[in-house]
Each structure stands twice: as C-alpha cells, then as structure tokens.
Amino acid sequence: MPGPVRRPRRRLAQPREQVLAAAMATIAESGLDRLTMAGLGREVGMSSGHILYYFGTKDELLLQTLQWSEEQLGARRRAALARRVPVRERLDALVELYLPEGRRDPRWTLWLEVWNRSQNADDAARERQLDLELAWHRDLVALLVEGASKGELRAVDAERFATRTRALLDGFSTHLVVGLPGLDRQQVLRHVGEFLDEGLSAPDA
C-alpha cells in the first residue's frame, strides 16, 4: 500500500498532476466529503473553473485520481513482483499491496466511491475502471502460471483462481475500509493465506 499521502509542491508538477495529488491528499486527511472543486482550487492555486477545464465533472476527477493512484501503486507492485524470491513470497506481496491498511484507507475509499458512481457511468468510463482491475488480475494470473511451471504451486486454472481470489480480496477489503467490527488486517491476511495454502500448495509441500 502507498505510504502517507503528501501534499504536492506547487509549481513542481503539471497542473493536472497537482490537482490529482491534492485530491488524494484531501481524501487521506479529511475524507471524500471534504473533496470539492473549490477546495482543490484553493489548495493548488487555481479557480474551480480551471479545474473543471481539466476534468469536466467530479466523476471524471475521481476516476482520474484513482488512475493516478493506481499508477503509483503499480510501480511498487511491479518492483515487488520482479524480486528474485519464491513465487509464493511474491504472491503474498501482491496481497499485501492489494489490501487496505485499515479503516478509511484513502485508496480504497476512492475505489468504493468510483465503483458506486460507475453504476451511472458511460461505457468508456467503465472500461477505464476495468483496465485498473485487470492490471491486478493479469499479474496474479502470471504468478499462478509461473508458480505451477516451476513446481512451486499446484497447477490450477489460473484465470478462474485469480477471479475468485480477487473477489475474496475485494470482500475483505470492503470490510476493512469501512471498519467492520471484529476484523483487522492481520486477521484478513491469515484468512487469505489459508485460502492460498489450501488451493495452491504443491503436491509435495
């Protein structure tokens, strides 16, 4: 997961990136309720009209902020998956990055809002959201295939297993980010670890 979200330095980034970084920082500090075009404008020294010039609507701003956030995390994911360690260790690293840190995690708060708004989004916006989901799916499938080819993991239908694993992670992540009582991140990691052990342990493990 990303570390603490820092406010962007003014004039060091392109205007669009300044706004996206400020939006993510606002979500982290104050939640989505405090995220407004006028507030972002004050934060980055622009008018709300100037921000609307870049994004058009708040829905578009949120989706682009999510894309920007996932780009940052995607770089971390690629670095973790490129490590020369057993496949299962890299699989665990992917799970760690996927899950929220806990209640009100800003990235997952944004994911839930974009999911909710996508009910009324056009097909193009929904496709862009799907692309973000599929980036995780492809990396998970690649790990499952690699692990089976090396004999480190049991051979499974990688597409099917990845789909079910992401559904499990999404369900637990939703519980974590809304702060469902009686469930914390370490418990979720144990649940997911047991699921992976049961489904992927190599025959001679």
Side-chain angles (χ1 to χ4, degrees):
M1 293 294 299
V5 180
R6 294 180 172 84
R7 291 284 179 182
R9 293 184 179 181
R10 291 185 175 86
R11 293 184 295 278
L12 293 185
Q14 294 297 320
R16 174 182 167 277
E17 187 174 355
Q18 280 186 279
V19 175
L20 298 176
M24 200 66 201
T26 297
I27 294 169
E29 293 170 8
S30 308
L32 275 163
D33 290 344
R34 300 292 298 275
L35 182 64
T36 65
M37 296 294 195
L40 283 176
R42 288 191 295 272
E43 189 63 40
V44 298
M46 298 181 189
S47 68
S48 57
H50 198 179
I51 293 176
L52 283 170
Y53 169 79
Y54 283 106
F55 301 101
T57 66
K58 188 171 184 179
D59 283 1
E60 180 63 21
L61 169 66
L62 292 174
L63 180 53
Q64 288 198 34
T65 302
L66 181 60
Q67 290 176 305
W68 179 84
S69 171
E70 287 294 308
E71 287 171 7
Q72 318 306 307
L73 188 57
R76 291 182 58 194
R77 187 175 73 249
R78 289 189 293 273
L81 300 187
R83 294 170 56 216
R84 295 178 179 273
V85 297
V87 173
R88 180 51 195 271
E89 287 188 34
R90 283 179 277 151
L91 184 55
D92 289 340
L94 184 145
V95 170
E96 289 262 6
L97 288 168
Y98 196 105
L99 293 171
E101 290 290 344
R103 183 171 178 265
R104 296 183 65 185
D105 177 274
R107 184 176 68 93
W108 264 94
T109 296
L110 183 55
W111 260 116
L112 292 182
E113 183 68 13
V114 171
W115 271 340
N116 184 54
R117 288 171 179 256
S118 69
Q119 297 177 81
N120 300 313
D122 60 28
D123 290 342
R126 291 164 69 88
E127 284 292 329
R128 288 159 60 200
Q129 183 181 341
L130 178 61
D131 286 342
L132 300 178
E133 304 251 8
L134 290 180
W136 290 92
H137 183 83
R138 287 189 293 266
D139 284 345
L140 180 52
V141 168
L143 282 176
L144 296 173
V145 171
E146 180 186 349
S149 70
K150 292 180 175 179
E152 296 180 29
L153 303 177
R154 179 183 300 162
V156 296
D157 181 331
E159 288 284 344
R160 181 170 179 268
F161 194 92
T163 297
R164 297 173 75 183
T165 301
R166 288 194 305 113
L168 179 73
L169 292 171
D170 287 344
F172 274 130
S173 293
T174 302
H175 291 173
L176 285 176
V177 77
V178 302
L180 191 72
L183 188 70
D184 61 32
R185 196 168 191 269
Q186 289 307 310
Q187 289 173 311
V188 168
L189 287 170
R190 285 196 295 272
H191 281 303
V192 176
E194 289 170 4
F195 170 80
L196 296 177
D197 286 341
E198 292 165 3
L200 297 174
S201 291
D204 59 349

